[in-house]
Amino acid sequence: GAGVSQSPSNKVTEKGKDVELRCDPISGHTALYWYRQSLGQGLEFLIYFQGNSAPDKSGLPSDRFSAERTGGSVSTLTIQRTQQEDSAVYLCASSLDVAPLHFGNGTRLTVT
Amino acid sequence: GENVEQHPSTLSVQEGDSAVIKCTYSDSASNYFPWYKQELGKRPQLIIDIRSNVGEKKDQRIAVTLNKTAKHFSLHITETQPEDSAVYFCAASRRSGNTGKLIFGQGTTLQVKP
């Protein structure tokens, strides 16, 4: 079936603007993750949704970042008042439990 | 909080040689340890994983070992080939109930020279 789908694939925005990144997980996957990958860096955990439980938001870097998952499926990551340091690839992943994670192709965010 | 340290950050080997990447984790409750490979410009993909009730797992040229007492685990690639060149990430997680956050190491860039 279809894999994890993320949109847009690329996003260029001006500093101070808000952006929304979308993730469509694999159908039936109960767990959904957001990670951030800066150029040449590792996978920084942002937030984790598991079923109907309260999300683990411990990785969100500031209160400008938020995420929601509607109906246990699609998730949106919102970054308010974007800063240049927010520029990175934002990766979404889903799984039936913890593993294996299936990653999307990511959204490359550039803040000018 | 949970932390995963990965070494080395870069590794260069000759084709046919072995490569070893090591990781340590801080959360003693971690019980699931996957390894992901990310080729340039592509998404990370799982290559092998191990659970805490097993000390070693092998899949063709790839093997992973786990030392729970020391809280470290390693990836071993034998008979390396140029197509093994990529960034490799280790990760650790508790795998029970609703606690499944997967924390990744910083990655190792492996270069296999032909």
Side-chain angles (χ1 to χ4, degrees), chain A residues 33 35 37 58 99 101 103 105, chain B residues 32 36 38 43 100-102:
Chain A
Y33 301 76
Y35 290 90
Q37 188 170 33
S58 59
L101 262 61
F103 282 89
N105 283 324
Chain B
Y32 174 69
Y36 285 78
Q38 186 176 31
R43 70 186 80 183
K101 181 169 63 179
L102 199 60

Side-chain angles (χ1 to χ4, degrees), chain B residues 6-8 11 19-23 35 73-76 88 108:
Chain B
Q6 183 171 347
H7 300 281
L11 180 59
V20 180
I21 303 170
K22 299 181 179 182
C23 290
W35 287 86
F73 55 112
S74 301
L75 178 71
H76 304 253
Y88 290 81
T108 296

Side-chain angles (χ1 to χ4, degrees), chain B residues 1-61:
Chain B
E2 305 94 331
N3 188 45
V4 177
E5 296 287 336
Q6 183 171 347
H7 300 281
S9 57
T10 60
L11 180 59
S12 181
V13 299
Q14 288 295 136
E15 181 177 0
D17 287 351
S18 295
V20 180
I21 303 170
K22 299 181 179 182
C23 290
T24 59
Y25 59 97
S26 61
D27 184 359
S28 57
S30 295
N31 56 11
Y32 174 69
F33 309 91
W35 287 86
Y36 285 78
K37 175 183 180 183
Q38 186 176 31
E39 296 177 351
L40 190 62
K42 296 189 177 180
R43 70 186 80 183
Q45 294 196 313
L46 179 75
I47 54 171
I48 194 168
D49 59 10
I50 191 169
R51 286 152 176 78
S52 59
N53 58 345
V54 176
E56 183 174 358
K57 183 176 179 180
K58 188 174 182 180
D59 182 5
Q60 299 182 351
R61 296 186 297 108

Side-chain angles (χ1 to χ4, degrees), chain A residues 3-4 33 35 37 41-43 45 48 50 53 56 58 91 97-101 103-105, chain B residues 32 36 38 43-44 46 49 51 89 93-95 97-107:
Chain A
V4 177
Y33 301 76
Y35 290 90
Q37 188 170 33
Q41 299 300 308
L43 297 164
F45 168 78
Y48 161 59
Q50 172 63 57
S53 300
D56 183 333
S58 59
L91 288 163
D97 188 351
V98 173
L101 262 61
F103 282 89
N105 283 324
Chain B
Y32 174 69
Y36 285 78
Q38 186 176 31
R43 70 186 80 183
L46 179 75
D49 59 10
R51 286 152 176 78
F89 293 97
S93 172
R94 301 180 186 184
R95 191 173 183 271
N98 293 324
T99 308
K101 181 169 63 179
L102 199 60
I103 301 298
F104 285 85
Q106 286 301 300

Side-chain angles (χ1 to χ4, degrees), chain B residues 80-100:
Chain B
T80 53
Q81 302 168 1
E83 52 265 37
D84 294 331
S85 296
V87 180
Y88 290 81
F89 293 97
C90 64
S93 172
R94 301 180 186 184
R95 191 173 183 271
S96 63
N98 293 324
T99 308

